[in-house]
Amino acid sequence: GAVVSQHPSWVICKSGTSVKIECRSLDFQATTMFWYRQFPKQSLMLMATSNEGSKATYEQGVEKDKFLINHASLTLSTLTVTSAHPEDSSFYICSASTVGQGAYEQYFGPGTRLTVT
Amino acid sequence: QKEVEQDPGPLSVPEGAIVSLNCTYSNSAFQYFMWYRQYSRKGPELLMYTYSSGNKEDGRFTAQVDKSSKYISLFIRDSQPSDSATYLCAMNSPRNQGGKLIFGQGTELSVKP
């Protein structure tokens, strides 16, 4: 149980275009989803926390107009990178947790590798 | 000073060795302590979690938390080449909104056959 999927697993886009990444909890309802980015040889950096039906909370330094997060249902959150630039190339990972579970129960997706050319 | 410090390694050991991975932290409010394993180009996988101080064992893995020293450890016994991965410690406090995790930098482990 507690499976989180991401789609696509790998995407290449041209500079200036937008790309959408989906995160789904497959066998549980996720009231909270988290979006991270990870550069090579570095740890996960939390970008934003999204709760179903409300606006996402962004971490300091993360541009909310550039990284649009939607959490419209209990099983789906999306991250849209708008007007992507090469410096946005990174590994994006989502995780999901649910109310009532222990604080440790955050399940991660397999990640999406974004390359902006 | 970072809230969670972890030696990035890389750490290389022979197969069968005992591996010790460690993290220190500064926030005394942390109550939940986790270890994740991440293979290259994959999402992190939860290995162990501990609430407050103490030890927890699961097969070849043992997690230890010493809250008085603000120090946590993960031991891997009889290490295998398949254990080669990056190990991330993570922690949070019950008061954290939404269960936000604070991660260490990750230690890259290589187990040589």
Side-chain angles (χ1 to χ4, degrees):
Chain A
V3 178
V4 177
S5 70
Q6 277 185 246
H7 178 79
S9 57
W10 178 62
V11 59
I12 300 175
C13 70
K14 291 182 184 260
S15 187
T17 62
S18 296
V19 60
K20 180 185 284 188
I21 301 169
E22 291 186 351
C23 176
R24 292 182 185 273
S25 56
L26 298 185
D27 52 3
F28 67 102
Q29 294 186 325
T31 50
T32 304
M33 286 186 170
F34 304 85
W35 286 95
Y36 298 83
R37 67 188 298 183
Q38 186 178 35
F39 293 106
K41 304 286 187 183
Q42 294 189 24
S43 189
L44 285 76
M45 184 191 80
L46 180 64
M47 300 175 66
T49 303
S50 79
N51 292 294
E52 185 263 339
S54 60
K55 289 185 179 180
T57 302
Y58 289 81
E59 295 298 301
Q60 191 173 8
V62 177
E63 299 175 59
K64 56 184 69 176
D65 293 332
K66 181 169 185 60
F67 299 100
L68 301 179
I69 291 171
N70 183 277
H71 191 167
S73 80
L74 287 171
T75 59
L76 173 64
S77 176
T78 60
L79 167 68
T80 301
V81 183
T82 63
S83 186
H85 289 96
E87 58 265 30
D88 298 323
S89 298
S90 189
F91 192 51
Y92 292 87
I93 309 173
C94 72
S95 71
S97 67
T98 185
V99 174
Q101 303 281 2
Y104 54 83
E105 294 197 34
Q106 194 175 126
Y107 304 98
F108 284 83
T112 297
R113 185 159 304 279
L114 169 64
T115 301
V116 184
T117 60
Chain B
Q1 181 191 9
K2 293 180 182 177
E3 278 193 288
V4 180
E5 298 274 3
Q6 184 178 6
D7 186 339
L11 180 62
S12 182
V13 301
E15 183 175 355
I18 297 175
V19 176
S20 173
L21 304 167
N22 311 292
C23 289
T24 59
Y25 63 95
S26 57
N27 188 343
S28 58
F30 287 146
Q31 294 283 351
Y32 294 93
F33 304 91
M34 289 134 278
W35 286 96
Y36 285 86
R37 177 174 63 195
Q38 186 178 23
Y39 292 112
S40 182
R41 298 174 182 263
K42 300 290 184 185
E45 168 196 10
L46 179 63
L47 272 181
M48 302 278 290
Y49 75 87
T50 309
Y51 173 70
S52 195
S53 284
N55 295 358
K56 189 169 186 176
E57 188 173 321
D58 183 2
R60 296 184 295 112
F61 298 90
T62 300
Q64 289 185 352
V65 175
D66 182 349
K67 290 195 71 181
S68 61
S69 302
K70 297 190 180 66
Y71 188 86
I72 70 170
S73 301
L74 177 70
F75 298 96
I76 307 174
R77 291 184 297 281
D78 187 24
S79 56
Q80 303 295 310
S82 58
D83 295 327
S84 298
T86 295
Y87 290 80
L88 297 139
C89 65
M91 46 199 80
N92 71 355
S93 128
R95 288 187 290 277
N96 269 11
Q97 292 181 355
K100 175 179 160 180
L101 293 176
I102 309 300
F103 282 90
Q105 188 176 349
T107 299
E108 185 180 349
L109 171 68
S110 176
V111 181
K112 304 294 186 186

